[in-house]
Amino acid sequence: MKGREFLRDLHTVQRMYIDGEWAASSTGAIREVINPATGERIGLVAEGSVEDTIRAIQAARRAFDQDGWAESKARERAMMLLKIADLLEQRTEEFAWLDTLNNGKPLRESRYDMSDAVNQFRYYAGLATKPHGQTYDVPDQMQAMVVREPIGVVAQIIPWNYPLVMATQKIAPAIAAGCTVVIKPAEQTPLSLIRLFEIIDQVGFPPGVINLVLGAGETVGAEMARHPLVDKVAFTGGTETGIRIMKAAADTIKKVSLELGGKSPNIVFADADYETAVDYALFAIFANQGEVCSAGSRLLLEESLYDRFVPELVERAKQIVVGPGTDEETEMGPLISEEHMNRVLWYIEEGRREGATLLCGGRRLTENGLGRGFFVEPTIFTDTHPGMKIVQEEIFGPVLVIQTFKTEEEAVALANGTKYGLAGGIFTSDVAKAHRVIRKLRAGITWINTYHPTFNEAPWGGYKQSGIGRELGPYGLEEYLEVKQINVNLNVVPSGWFKKRSPVTS
Ligand code: NAD
């Protein structure tokens, strides 16, 4: 850890940030944070309570309603976002290390995430000051116009697979829109977001504008989703949790945006560029240990390509270097926790039990010093059928299932054959076919002859049970804005709708 002085203070209890001040838990509770590569404790954080959460929500409400944030100027907010970007950019290596130690992902992936995070603040700083209204040509000497206004207090709930970047892609548009924020990281991965609040504190937002709460989903998260002073909940996480959040938000008709799970198809036709398709089939599922909502976890392969494609894919999967994310050579890190590793291993057993053929992997890795961490081999199943759990359910780990097809129609039917609709890719050298198939995919994020690249400029989100709403791009800002219609009378005379009559005398 030489030269990594920024890691030293993790064992003093990291606190929440409520109403412009660092805050311990009202109950004094503390949670241990674990390094999934070693199973060791790497930090201590305050475990927030419902009471802490309510305090944060009330501060955000006051900042919005009474302290003037709702009337703050877009230019002023943009300057603050740019300041965050600059300060974060100076510390990206530190933040990358924190996410790798805490989440397990290889450093090269964390570094990529950090550059995304910096860019998100810059992107939304730019968007904040662009025109957001419209005027309409209407009859009757009226002028109709639409203005956009911040939704108000937003609660943002974050998963563990991209600890910082999932948070920044919510904070940046919410602040650009003029909302106030209460945000909660996943219990497992709070470290980088806590550190981001050092920067937020430095930038000098008015108290209550951005608040950080820490703690369990069932207590702190549930209160955020339920509390009547919250106007909107933005959530990224599992579909089951999304359902609970939507129900909790329903009682007070909160706006919700949900970025949920997936079981995304990666369709490879026989006429695809072979090397590219093999390469991306690996990247689609094994990047970030398969802990990616949009992972290409189902490989849909044209049958005539099977005998050439699958042996090479398996060989390449076996060569993936699995190890601690902090080793620069590591290509795939550990899973987030022992509990999650056991869930993934359970699915692998279930796949075997259901009759699928295991082509490679399938085991926990314990050799070469990996025994205390939560490592699972890159795993590939074939001989699957659409009814199997491993085909239908999100495993959220390095497990690929192969399905085969003979025709374009069959490929589309298989691709759309789950409850999810987050993402999907297609590999072919036939441009017309690529477009035909992509247009039939019931998914929000799609790729032709590539898999995974996404950009802060373009919308991110799912069809079907993969979510509601979109993050990123101009759509991501819309999610934090209300739409107000203003009608102005240009001819200020009475309407005469009700006749003016002489007063009735008795
Ligand atoms: P999760 O649903 O278990 O937890 C996510 C967050 O929700 C955590 O902060 C957790 O504390 C909180 N939470 C849990 N129960 C809650 C409740 N009852 N009320 C309020 N909050 C609650 O998800 P996870 O395991 O952290 O993340 C993995 C899931 O996230 C996968 O399903 C993955 O597909 C999904 N994901 C989706 C996207 C996307 O953009 N669509 C991106 C990343 C991850």
Side-chain angles (χ1 to χ4, degrees):
M1 293 297 160
K2 201 161 170 289
R4 314 260 172 237
E5 286 75 16
F6 50 77
L7 302 175
R8 283 199 195 131
D9 60 352
L10 293 175
H11 289 276
T12 54
V13 180
Q14 311 280 296
R15 287 173 296 170
M16 299 179 279
Y17 188 86
I18 300 175
D19 208 2
E21 287 180 356
W22 294 101
S25 168
S26 61
T27 64
I30 289 168
R31 181 186 288 269
E32 293 193 338
V33 182
I34 303 298
N35 175 351
T38 62
E40 288 166 350
R41 187 179 95 187
I42 45 165
L44 292 171
V45 299
E47 175 72 4
S49 62
V50 168
E51 194 183 310
D52 297 319
T53 312
I54 294 173
R55 202 158 73 77
I57 293 169
Q58 286 169 339
R61 191 77 258 169
R62 190 206 64 237
F64 188 82
D65 291 339
Q66 295 164 33
D67 298 352
W69 188 251
E71 287 81 44
S72 63
K73 291 290 155 209
R75 190 184 288 186
E76 188 187 319
R77 298 195 302 272
M79 292 307 293
M80 294 176 118
L81 292 175
L82 289 173
K83 242 194 222 174
I84 298 181
D86 290 347
L87 293 169
L88 181 59
E89 194 168 42
Q90 290 161 19
R91 294 169 64 177
T92 49
E93 190 62 7
E94 167 188 350
F95 279 84
W97 269 79
L98 280 179
D99 264 7
T100 285
L101 283 172
N102 198 172
N103 164 279
K105 64 174 71 193
L107 267 175
R108 65 174 174 172
E109 298 199 25
S110 293
R111 288 182 181 126
Y112 193 87
D113 293 351
M114 295 315 133
S115 86
D116 252 6
V118 169
N119 179 260
Q120 284 162 358
F121 286 111
R122 295 206 171 119
Y123 177 81
Y124 282 109
L127 214 53
T129 54
K130 302 302 172 285
H132 299 297
Q134 291 131 7
T135 57
Y136 299 95
D137 182 0
V138 292
D140 300 336
Q141 299 201 58
M142 297 283 285
Q143 169 71 68
M145 61 178 101
V146 161
V147 295
R148 320 309 299 276
E149 294 178 346
I151 276 183
V153 174
V154 299
Q156 303 180 328
I157 302 174
I158 309 301
W160 46 255
N161 64 336
Y162 289 88
L164 192 70
V165 85
M166 289 292 140
T168 53
Q169 75 187 41
K170 289 184 175 54
I171 294 172
I175 293 301
C179 295
T180 57
V181 170
V182 178
I183 190 166
K184 183 189 98 62
E187 299 79 320
Q188 300 88 340
T189 53
L191 298 182
S192 56
L193 187 56
I194 296 174
R195 205 54 77 92
L196 183 73
F197 272 77
E198 285 179 8
I199 290 177
I200 287 169
D201 187 51
Q202 226 177 318
V203 166
F205 285 88
V209 169
I210 318 185
N211 305 274
L212 169 73
V213 289
L214 303 170
E218 301 74 39
T219 52
V220 174
E223 189 61 27
M224 292 166 77
R226 184 207 69 81
H227 199 285
L229 293 184
V230 171
D231 296 299
K232 178 200 164 89
V233 189
F235 169 71
T236 301
T239 294
E240 292 306 316
T241 316
I243 292 168
R244 276 200 289 279
I245 285 177
M246 207 168 159
K247 285 183 179 163
D251 279 342
T252 49
I253 313 289
K254 293 185 200 347
K255 315 288 182 280
V256 289
S257 50
L258 305 172
E259 300 286 343
L260 308 176
K263 190 76 182 177
S264 300
N266 179 24
I267 308 170
V268 179
F269 284 93
D271 61 5
D273 182 281
Y274 178 76
E275 289 294 330
T276 307
V278 174
D279 179 77
Y280 275 102
L282 288 170
F283 185 55
I285 179 62
F286 298 124
N288 212 51
Q289 303 80 241
E291 294 170 333
V292 185
C293 51
S294 54
S297 50
R298 292 185 295 137
L299 174 64
L300 273 52
L301 202 52
E302 188 162 356
E303 215 171 83
S304 59
L305 191 58
Y306 188 94
D307 290 344
R308 182 173 175 220
F309 198 98
V310 172
E312 175 153 357
L313 183 73
V314 169
E315 187 47 43
R316 296 271 311 268
K318 287 180 184 166
Q319 292 167 11
I320 291 173
V321 179
V322 182
T326 48
D327 283 0
E328 297 282 355
E329 296 74 35
T330 290
E331 294 178 317
M332 206 180 90
L335 297 179
I336 186 67
S337 63
E338 185 165 17
E339 187 190 356
H340 184 57
M341 174 187 71
N342 288 334
R343 185 168 174 269
V344 170
L345 292 171
W346 179 86
Y347 269 112
I348 293 171
E349 269 321 296
E350 189 64 13
R352 282 197 176 109
R353 203 190 56 73
E354 286 180 310
T357 305
L358 185 70
L359 291 174
C360 66
R363 287 184 321 126
R364 175 181 186 177
L365 278 169
T366 52
E367 304 82 7
N368 306 320
L370 301 185
R372 288 181 305 152
F374 314 125
F375 296 89
V376 172
E377 290 176 308
T379 298
I380 302 179
F381 277 108
T382 191
D383 299 326
T384 64
H385 64 75
M388 288 176 170
K389 277 202 180 66
I390 57 166
V391 175
Q392 290 298 325
E393 295 180 15
E394 183 183 49
I395 299 174
F396 220 55
V399 182
L400 178 68
V401 296
I402 300 176
Q403 300 177 272
T404 56
F405 64 87
K406 286 200 184 74
T407 64
E408 207 176 299
E409 292 67 33
E410 202 185 342
V412 169
L414 286 173
N416 289 333
T418 74
K419 69 179 182 184
Y420 295 110
L422 189 58
I426 167 168
F427 286 80
T428 174
S429 48
D430 178 339
V431 175
K433 179 160 67 183
H435 282 275
R436 271 199 310 273
V437 173
I438 283 288
R439 294 294 293 268
K440 287 185 185 146
L441 282 191
R442 303 266 302 137
I445 307 148
T446 63
W447 295 280
I448 296 174
N449 290 327
T450 184
Y451 202 99
H452 274 326
T454 55
F455 304 95
N456 290 330
E457 292 81 357
W460 177 270
Y463 286 25
K464 293 156 74 180
Q465 294 191 33
S466 287
I468 295 177
R470 294 292 179 271
E471 290 196 323
L472 300 176
Y475 295 87
L477 186 65
E478 296 284 312
E479 297 284 341
Y480 293 99
L481 291 167
E482 288 279 18
V483 176
K484 179 180 279 176
Q485 176 184 152
I486 304 179
N487 297 298
V488 188
N489 191 353
L490 304 180
N491 181 29
V492 187
V493 294
S495 75
W497 184 268
F498 295 106
K499 279 213 178 76
K500 193 173 178 185
R501 297 183 175 90
S502 324
V504 180
T505 51
S506 52

